[in-house]
Amino acid sequence: MKVQGIAAIVTGGGSGLGAATGRALAAAGAKVALLDLNEEAARAVAQETGGLGLACDVADARSAEAAIARAAAAHGPARILVNCAGIVSGARIVGRSGPADLDAFAKVIQVNLIGSFNLMRLVAAGALGLDPLEGGERGVVVSTASVAAYEGQIGQAAYASSKAGIVGLTLPAAREFAPAGIRVCAIAPGLFETPMMQGLPREVQDSLGAAVPFPPRLGRPEEYARLVLAIIDNPMLNGEVIRLDGALRMQAR
């Protein structure tokens, strides 16, 4: 799919992978709506790219519905969705103080997995009513999984479960939407320069980057965005989860 003039929605668009993806889509000519819980951050990136910045809690149906409606009013129904919104919470299933907090586990699932499903269902519903483009395509959905879906570390039970859910969602969604020409893929990043990572001391970041076989560094958000554009551009990419990790395989701890 050629993105020039196409309406796109990027969640988590106020920072990190989402901001880089929004910038890349805008540079390619897409009409981009950036959704983020932090509306100020989303608007800052939108001002930079000439797009639209909107407040959205991806895990809340009404909030997402309102944001999608506002984006459609400004740009028309979206054909492209990139799910980058997510949170991280680290805890052992049973720690020194006893069993893990169930609400904390549920929140990670709610934001990372249910939030991605929430936006997928809404954007796909709108794209289904659009005329097909050249080649029969109506839309593309790209969600963000993680290498933790495959090699979750001790303390990552919630995060790994949420990202494994993204992996499990990708193929059935792709199969369901295939007759309408809507493709669904996911990217499983390794260690990337995100706000969470940048909050760590420089020596810790360097140590983590050195664990990547090649290139021996943290991934850059722009590299994630480049893969998003490649997925959108290549019509044969469908139902697939692509690792973007420099051949990294996470250890147990």
Side-chain angles (χ1 to χ4, degrees), residues 87-89 159 192-200 205:
I87 60 173
V88 177
S89 176
Y159 185 71
F192 268 69
E193 294 174 350
T194 61
M196 176 190 68
M197 190 68 70
Q198 290 168 344
L200 298 174
Q205 295 184 48

Side-chain angles (χ1 to χ4, degrees), residues 26-136:
K31 297 179 289 186
V32 184
L34 300 156
L35 278 53
D36 203 290
L37 195 60
N38 184 338
E39 183 177 13
E40 184 177 348
R43 285 184 173 179
V45 179
Q47 185 174 17
E48 173 190 334
T49 60
L52 182 66
L54 300 171
C56 180
D57 178 355
V58 297
D60 181 83
R62 290 184 179 179
S63 177
E65 289 163 6
I68 294 294
R70 288 183 63 190
H75 296 157
R79 292 184 185 268
I80 295 169
L81 167 66
V82 186
N83 280 313
C84 293
I87 60 173
V88 177
S89 176
R92 287 176 177 262
I93 298 169
V94 180
R96 292 181 179 178
S97 59
D101 181 77
L102 188 59
D103 288 340
F105 181 93
K107 183 175 182 180
V108 175
I109 301 297
Q110 190 76 24
V111 174
N112 295 358
L113 176 55
I114 297 177
S116 296
F117 177 83
N118 188 21
L119 270 294
M120 179 188 290
R121 73 185 180 96
L122 296 172
V123 172
L128 285 169
L130 299 176
D131 292 334
L133 302 174
E134 182 181 358

